[in-house]
Amino acid sequence: MLVLTRKRNEAIQIGEDIEIKILAIEGDQIKLGITAPQSIDIYRKEIYVDIKQQNNEAANVPLNLLEMLKGTKE
């Protein structure tokens, strides 16, 4: 992991298109501003992990359930 130290109103640049700026530091929270192309999905980590878990669960649908939904198997 790359670790960088930044102050308020300083930024880091990722590639040509992504900028992350420190907007505010309040106690133990940091407010970030992210500039990125709309094609880049940006999530809080806990939301991203939840989405991945839900997608994995959805991908593990039993085959017979799909057949039952089609009405081909009783």
Side-chain angles (χ1 to χ4, degrees):
M1 174 188 298
L2 173 64
V3 178
L4 301 171
T5 301
R6 302 276 66 200
K7 296 177 181 173
R8 193 166 69 92
N9 292 323
E10 292 183 338
I12 62 171
Q13 184 76 29
I14 301 174
E16 291 291 322
D17 300 329
I18 300 172
E19 178 186 83
I20 301 173
K21 186 173 184 178
I22 308 300
L23 299 178
I25 302 169
E26 299 170 3
D28 62 348
Q29 291 188 324
I30 299 171
K31 188 179 288 184
L32 301 172
I34 302 169
T35 303
Q38 289 188 343
S39 61
I40 303 292
D41 295 327
I42 301 171
Y43 302 100
R44 291 183 179 96
K45 177 71 175 209
E46 62 273 16
I47 301 297
Y48 179 75
V49 168
D50 189 51
I51 290 169
K52 283 190 72 172
Q53 182 180 357
Q54 289 181 21
N55 286 343
N56 286 339
E57 289 172 6
N60 290 324
V61 174
L63 289 177
N64 64 347
L65 177 60
L66 294 174
E67 291 172 355
M68 289 173 55
L69 292 172
K70 289 180 188 175
T72 58
K73 186 175 182 178
E74 295 178 21

